[in-house]
Amino acid sequence: QKEVEQNSGPLSVPEGAIASLNCTYSDRGSQSFFWYRQYSGKSPELIMFIYSNGDKEDGRFTAQLNKASQYVSLLIRDSQPSDSATYLCAGANNFGNEKLTFGTGTRLTIIP
Amino acid sequence: GAVVSQHPSRVICKSGTSVKIECRSLDFQATTMFWYRQFPKQSLMLMATSNEGSKATYEQGVEKDKFLINHASLTLSTLTVTSAHPEDSSFYICSAPGTSGGTYEQYFGPGTRLTVT
């Protein structure tokens, strides 16, 4: 069974600090990984995707992928109260045009 | 950017009745759409893959006769929950893959909150 695992949290981080979210996956056939943010009662919104080993930066967000360790992470720098949400990690066997397998999500709270 | 809409956004129905949820890709064509279900404080679970012009592919454990999927056009997929029961109360979300800047990504609809009384 393909699984994506996340620490469910809750994770509390002071405003302005770095929030670190982690995800592991069991399917070595997974090619691409996505980080979504979901506010309560809303559908997920894409933050970043990553296909290659290493780091990918976009503004305050950095995604990291280590295929050998089957590990994906998301760093949020200069955390803001508006970053408080549930963060979902998802994997796909292709590059985003196939079904996604979601992790359980990590609830992040930024403390002002 | 690509937009996916869902209708209705919220529906309350009585046990035993059927409910239809629509998922539309507004500015792009989608030969494939995905239907997810999310229970409170849980993650999204894929229910089925909707394929335009052919039968949907259901995930293990999802009753195809209870959750009817019709993908009759390149912009519309419908999910009908038949003989709904309180345990079907959930947040139903559809998505469709599209391209953005040369790469694929999934575009999610805003979701439909179903409450069965």
mmCIF file of all heavy atoms in Angstrom, chain A residues 4-11 20-24 35 86-87 103-108:
data_model
loop_
_atom_site.group_PDB
_atom_site.id
_atom_site.type_symbol
_atom_site.label_atom_id
_atom_site.label_comp_id
_atom_site.label_asym_id
_atom_site.label_seq_id
_atom_site.Cartn_x
_atom_site.Cartn_y
_atom_site.Cartn_z
ATOM 1 N N VAL A 4 1.886 7.843 2.632
ATOM 2 C CA VAL A 4 2.605 9.082 2.888
ATOM 3 C C VAL A 4 2.345 9.411 4.345
ATOM 4 O O VAL A 4 1.191 9.493 4.770
ATOM 5 C CB VAL A 4 2.116 10.221 1.965
ATOM 6 C CG1 VAL A 4 2.819 11.523 2.312
ATOM 7 C CG2 VAL A 4 2.356 9.855 0.503
ATOM 8 N N GLU A 5 3.396 9.574 5.111
ATOM 9 C CA GLU A 5 3.273 9.766 6.550
ATOM 10 C C GLU A 5 3.714 11.167 6.944
ATOM 11 O O GLU A 5 4.721 11.682 6.458
ATOM 12 C CB GLU A 5 4.134 8.746 7.297
ATOM 13 C CG GLU A 5 3.802 7.288 6.995
ATOM 14 C CD GLU A 5 2.540 6.830 7.693
ATOM 15 O OE1 GLU A 5 2.080 7.524 8.620
ATOM 16 O OE2 GLU A 5 2.009 5.772 7.306
ATOM 17 N N GLN A 6 2.953 11.755 7.832
ATOM 18 C CA GLN A 6 3.299 13.056 8.403
ATOM 19 C C GLN A 6 3.036 13.038 9.895
ATOM 20 O O GLN A 6 2.136 12.329 10.360
ATOM 21 C CB GLN A 6 2.423 14.172 7.806
ATOM 22 C CG GLN A 6 2.658 14.471 6.350
ATOM 23 C CD GLN A 6 1.759 15.602 5.886
ATOM 24 O OE1 GLN A 6 0.743 15.373 5.221
ATOM 25 N NE2 GLN A 6 2.121 16.821 6.236
ATOM 26 N N ASN A 7 3.770 13.842 10.622
ATOM 27 C CA ASN A 7 3.486 14.047 12.031
ATOM 28 C C ASN A 7 2.243 14.933 12.113
ATOM 29 O O ASN A 7 2.223 16.025 11.557
ATOM 30 C CB ASN A 7 4.679 14.734 12.704
ATOM 31 C CG ASN A 7 4.493 14.842 14.201
ATOM 32 O OD1 ASN A 7 3.366 14.932 14.699
ATOM 33 N ND2 ASN A 7 5.582 14.837 14.924
ATOM 34 N N SER A 8 1.210 14.439 12.795
ATOM 35 C CA SER A 8 -0.055 15.174 12.785
ATOM 36 C C SER A 8 -0.021 16.459 13.592
ATOM 37 O O SER A 8 -0.894 17.321 13.447
ATOM 38 C CB SER A 8 -1.182 14.274 13.295
ATOM 39 O OG SER A 8 -0.934 13.906 14.635
ATOM 40 N N GLY A 9 1.011 16.595 14.447
ATOM 41 C CA GLY A 9 1.101 17.800 15.256
ATOM 42 C C GLY A 9 0.143 17.747 16.432
ATOM 43 O O GLY A 9 -0.213 16.668 16.888
ATOM 44 N N PRO A 10 -0.319 18.885 16.952
ATOM 45 C CA PRO A 10 -0.075 20.206 16.387
ATOM 46 C C PRO A 10 1.346 20.704 16.623
ATOM 47 O O PRO A 10 1.979 20.349 17.596
ATOM 48 C CB PRO A 10 -1.095 21.087 17.115
ATOM 49 C CG PRO A 10 -1.314 20.399 18.416
ATOM 50 C CD PRO A 10 -1.168 18.935 18.141
ATOM 51 N N LEU A 11 1.805 21.504 15.684
ATOM 52 C CA LEU A 11 3.115 22.105 15.756
ATOM 53 C C LEU A 11 2.934 23.594 16.006
ATOM 54 O O LEU A 11 2.237 24.265 15.243
ATOM 55 C CB LEU A 11 3.872 21.877 14.441
ATOM 56 C CG LEU A 11 5.235 22.526 14.289
ATOM 57 C CD1 LEU A 11 6.216 21.928 15.288
ATOM 58 C CD2 LEU A 11 5.737 22.340 12.860
ATOM 59 N N SER A 20 9.212 23.870 10.445
ATOM 60 C CA SER A 20 9.740 22.742 9.682
ATOM 61 C C SER A 20 8.718 21.612 9.678
ATOM 62 O O SER A 20 8.325 21.110 10.724
ATOM 63 C CB SER A 20 11.056 22.265 10.317
ATOM 64 O OG SER A 20 11.549 21.135 9.622
ATOM 65 N N LEU A 21 8.294 21.231 8.492
ATOM 66 C CA LEU A 21 7.285 20.182 8.340
ATOM 67 C C LEU A 21 7.909 19.017 7.577
ATOM 68 O O LEU A 21 8.617 19.224 6.586
ATOM 69 C CB LEU A 21 6.084 20.738 7.553
ATOM 70 C CG LEU A 21 5.453 21.985 8.180
ATOM 71 C CD1 LEU A 21 4.597 22.720 7.178
ATOM 72 C CD2 LEU A 21 4.628 21.594 9.394
ATOM 73 N N ASN A 22 7.631 17.817 8.050
ATOM 74 C CA ASN A 22 8.292 16.645 7.483
ATOM 75 C C ASN A 22 7.303 15.619 6.965
ATOM 76 O O ASN A 22 6.164 15.522 7.441
ATOM 77 C CB ASN A 22 9.171 15.989 8.555
ATOM 78 C CG ASN A 22 10.171 16.963 9.120
ATOM 79 O OD1 ASN A 22 10.813 17.702 8.400
ATOM 80 N ND2 ASN A 22 10.286 16.989 10.447
ATOM 81 N N CYS A 23 7.777 14.811 6.017
ATOM 82 C CA CYS A 23 6.921 13.833 5.357
ATOM 83 C C CYS A 23 7.799 12.692 4.877
ATOM 84 O O CYS A 23 8.901 12.935 4.364
ATOM 85 C CB CYS A 23 6.221 14.544 4.186
ATOM 86 S SG CYS A 23 5.310 13.526 3.040
ATOM 87 N N THR A 24 7.353 11.460 5.060
ATOM 88 C CA THR A 24 8.059 10.319 4.494
ATOM 89 C C THR A 24 7.081 9.545 3.617
ATOM 90 O O THR A 24 5.860 9.610 3.811
ATOM 91 C CB THR A 24 8.609 9.384 5.590
ATOM 92 O OG1 THR A 24 7.520 8.932 6.406
ATOM 93 C CG2 THR A 24 9.631 10.088 6.452
ATOM 94 N N TRP A 35 3.258 20.087 -1.674
ATOM 95 C CA TRP A 35 2.854 20.594 -0.365
ATOM 96 C C TRP A 35 1.635 21.492 -0.567
ATOM 97 O O TRP A 35 1.665 22.435 -1.371
ATOM 98 C CB TRP A 35 3.975 21.380 0.290
ATOM 99 C CG TRP A 35 5.026 20.502 0.910
ATOM 100 C CD1 TRP A 35 6.252 20.189 0.396
ATOM 101 C CD2 TRP A 35 4.934 19.836 2.173
ATOM 102 N NE1 TRP A 35 6.931 19.363 1.250
ATOM 103 C CE2 TRP A 35 6.142 19.126 2.360
ATOM 104 C CE3 TRP A 35 3.952 19.768 3.176
ATOM 105 C CZ2 TRP A 35 6.393 18.359 3.499
ATOM 106 C CZ3 TRP A 35 4.206 19.003 4.306
ATOM 107 C CH2 TRP A 35 5.421 18.309 4.459
ATOM 108 N N THR A 86 -3.449 23.621 8.203
ATOM 109 C CA THR A 86 -2.994 22.238 8.103
ATOM 110 C C THR A 86 -2.220 22.092 6.802
ATOM 111 O O THR A 86 -2.683 22.547 5.753
ATOM 112 C CB THR A 86 -4.173 21.260 8.134
ATOM 113 O OG1 THR A 86 -4.825 21.349 9.404
ATOM 114 C CG2 THR A 86 -3.695 19.823 7.924
ATOM 115 N N TYR A 87 -1.053 21.485 6.881
ATOM 116 C CA TYR A 87 -0.194 21.315 5.715
ATOM 117 C C TYR A 87 -0.198 19.851 5.301
ATOM 118 O O TYR A 87 0.083 18.960 6.098
ATOM 119 C CB TYR A 87 1.227 21.805 6.022
ATOM 120 C CG TYR A 87 1.259 23.307 6.103
ATOM 121 C CD1 TYR A 87 0.818 23.962 7.252
ATOM 122 C CD2 TYR A 87 1.664 24.093 5.023
ATOM 123 C CE1 TYR A 87 0.800 25.343 7.328
ATOM 124 C CE2 TYR A 87 1.657 25.470 5.085
ATOM 125 C CZ TYR A 87 1.209 26.093 6.239
ATOM 126 O OH TYR A 87 1.179 27.463 6.307
ATOM 127 N N GLY A 103 -0.750 12.628 2.667
ATOM 128 C CA GLY A 103 -0.444 12.312 4.047
ATOM 129 C C GLY A 103 -1.576 12.782 4.937
ATOM 130 O O GLY A 103 -2.542 13.400 4.485
ATOM 131 N N THR A 104 -1.449 12.494 6.214
ATOM 132 C CA THR A 104 -2.500 12.811 7.173
ATOM 133 C C THR A 104 -2.553 14.292 7.514
ATOM 134 O O THR A 104 -3.543 14.753 8.064
ATOM 135 C CB THR A 104 -2.315 12.011 8.462
ATOM 136 O OG1 THR A 104 -0.962 12.165 8.905
ATOM 137 C CG2 THR A 104 -2.592 10.532 8.211
ATOM 138 N N GLY A 105 -1.503 15.020 7.163
ATOM 139 C CA GLY A 105 -1.493 16.457 7.417
ATOM 140 C C GLY A 105 -0.903 16.814 8.769
ATOM 141 O O GLY A 105 -1.017 16.056 9.730
ATOM 142 N N THR A 106 -0.260 17.967 8.823
ATOM 143 C CA THR A 106 0.288 18.504 10.072
ATOM 144 C C THR A 106 -0.378 19.835 10.357
ATOM 145 O O THR A 106 -0.366 20.732 9.497
ATOM 146 C CB THR A 106 1.815 18.712 9.972
ATOM 147 O OG1 THR A 106 2.458 17.481 9.731
ATOM 148 C CG2 THR A 106 2.351 19.339 11.257
ATOM 149 N N ARG A 107 -0.940 19.957 11.537
ATOM 150 C CA ARG A 107 -1.583 21.217 11.909
ATOM 151 C C ARG A 107 -0.540 22.151 12.502
ATOM 152 O O ARG A 107 0.130 21.816 13.478
ATOM 153 C CB ARG A 107 -2.697 20.960 12.914
ATOM 154 C CG ARG A 107 -3.563 22.180 13.213
ATOM 155 C CD ARG A 107 -4.945 21.743 13.686
ATOM 156 N NE ARG A 107 -4.888 20.872 14.845
ATOM 157 C CZ ARG A 107 -4.930 21.294 16.116
ATOM 158 N NH1 ARG A 107 -4.997 22.562 16.376
ATOM 159 N NH2 ARG A 107 -4.889 20.423 17.095
ATOM 160 N N LEU A 108 -0.388 23.301 11.880
ATOM 161 C CA LEU A 108 0.617 24.284 12.286
ATOM 162 C C LEU A 108 -0.076 25.508 12.865
ATOM 163 O O LEU A 108 -1.014 26.037 12.265
ATOM 164 C CB LEU A 108 1.469 24.697 11.089
ATOM 165 C CG LEU A 108 2.462 25.840 11.292
ATOM 166 C CD1 LEU A 108 3.561 25.433 12.274
ATOM 167 C CD2 LEU A 108 3.069 26.278 9.966
#
